[in-house]
Amino acid sequence: MSWGLLLVFALLSQTAAVWALFSPYPQAMQLGLFVVAHLVASLLLSALLLMVMPHRFARRRTWVLLLFVSVAFFIPVLGGLGLIVDMVYFRMTRKAIKRPEFHSLKIPPFLEEGSHIAQGMGEGGAWSRLRTVDLPRPQRLKALLAVSTTGGRKVNRLLRLATGDTDDEIRLLAFNLFDRQEKVVTQAISQNLGELKKVRGSAQRAELCRSLALSYWEMVYNDLAQAELQNFFVEQSLNYASQACELGGDDPAMALLIGRIHLLRGQTDQAEAMILKAQSLGALPARVLPYLAEIAYTRRDFKALTDYLQQETSLKHKPGIGPVAQFWGVASWQK
């Protein structure tokens, strides 16, 4: 029932109460009719006023309703008029007042501790800023500089993406940052190659071969090498890792590296053999199990995959492999 219809009923009830006082009935009946009609009118007016009042003024609605009914009932004329005036006032003011839009909010006290602005930004923030062409150039340059300090495979891919940007400054900065990282690894390779020609001892040669194998692998793994040179760097990494094993004996790191190179080439049997050898030589389970799980996945051996990931519980908490270990490390997916 609408607010206006209830108001009409209330006014009709109040009119009926007044009519009862001047009706030709006996006084007792006049009084009874007046009380009933006036009580109905008081209840309706009080309920209508309660409906239009702001909620902060009517939290204890039952008591407020009783107060309004008492005022309207025991002050027959002025009480009802007062309620109607209040209704008109609240309806007009609530329509006139518009809800203010929130532009800023004060930080709650319990969040002040973590409200300090970070000095840098993560890969996700840098990705979003660099991909948004409409952003001002300083913000995109800041994102590029912030993410370039962390290094790694994903960052290098981000820098490679930025080298194709339409903005000349961003493209040149990305080229510069990418070239700087490539030069660091290239200089290390050149230095080790020069020293390798001079040394004669097996131990020193093994150590230099080990460094060369890791440097060449870094060029591939961190996506620093051009696509045409990747096969060459992979071959060099495998060559020097094999030499390091021959000269310096069994090395779990070199065995694992050789296994990863075979895995990159899709040679799963050779990769599994070398990774298991690295495990037998003392490589940490958290280092070798993800690769064994990857080999099991390529073979569609999901039971073995689950077994590998369940052997090391710490994998569930490591970045990158964590969500994978959490999914495959439970048996519920097999049901």
Side-chain angles (χ1 to χ4, degrees), residues 4-79:
L5 191 58
L6 286 176
L7 180 60
V8 171
F9 284 157
L11 294 177
L12 290 176
S13 299
Q14 192 62 50
T15 304
V18 175
W19 174 82
L21 294 177
F22 299 97
S23 64
Y25 300 114
Q27 290 185 352
M29 184 175 292
Q30 287 180 351
L31 182 60
L33 292 173
F34 171 80
V35 170
V36 172
H38 183 57
L39 181 60
V40 171
S42 300
L43 285 171
L44 290 175
L45 289 176
S46 301
L48 289 172
L49 177 57
L50 199 62
M51 288 170 59
V52 299
M53 284 186 68
H55 292 288
R56 63 180 182 276
F57 294 149
R59 293 178 180 175
R60 304 178 68 176
R61 304 178 73 83
T62 304
W63 292 104
V64 174
L65 180 63
L66 290 177
L67 175 64
F68 290 159
V69 171
S70 301
V71 171
F73 184 78
F74 293 107
I75 309 176
V77 179
L78 296 178

Side-chain angles (χ1 to χ4, degrees), residues 138-214:
Q139 292 189 24
R140 302 182 72 207
L141 288 173
K142 184 180 178 181
L144 194 59
L145 288 171
V147 77
S148 65
T149 58
T150 57
R153 188 176 190 179
K154 294 181 180 178
V155 172
N156 290 331
R157 288 182 176 177
L158 181 64
L159 294 177
R160 191 182 291 279
L161 171 71
T163 57
D165 198 274
T166 55
D167 192 309
D168 290 339
E169 289 196 20
I170 292 177
R171 188 167 61 251
L172 290 175
L173 178 61
F175 269 119
N176 181 271
L177 295 172
F178 192 81
D179 184 64
R180 191 180 303 174
Q181 293 193 31
E182 185 182 2
K183 279 183 178 177
V184 171
V185 183
T186 304
Q187 287 177 357
I189 292 175
S190 300
Q191 184 179 355
N192 288 328
L193 284 174
E195 293 180 5
L196 187 62
K197 294 178 182 177
K198 300 175 184 176
V199 298
R200 296 289 180 248
S202 298
Q204 293 180 339
R205 290 182 64 84
E207 187 61 29
L208 289 172
C209 289
R210 189 177 189 275
S211 299
L212 283 169
L214 294 174

Side-chain angles (χ1 to χ4, degrees), residues 276-292:
L276 288 174
K277 181 181 179 181
Q279 187 178 19
S280 65
L281 292 174
L284 294 175
R287 293 279 298 160
V288 299
L289 289 176
Y291 300 111
L292 294 175

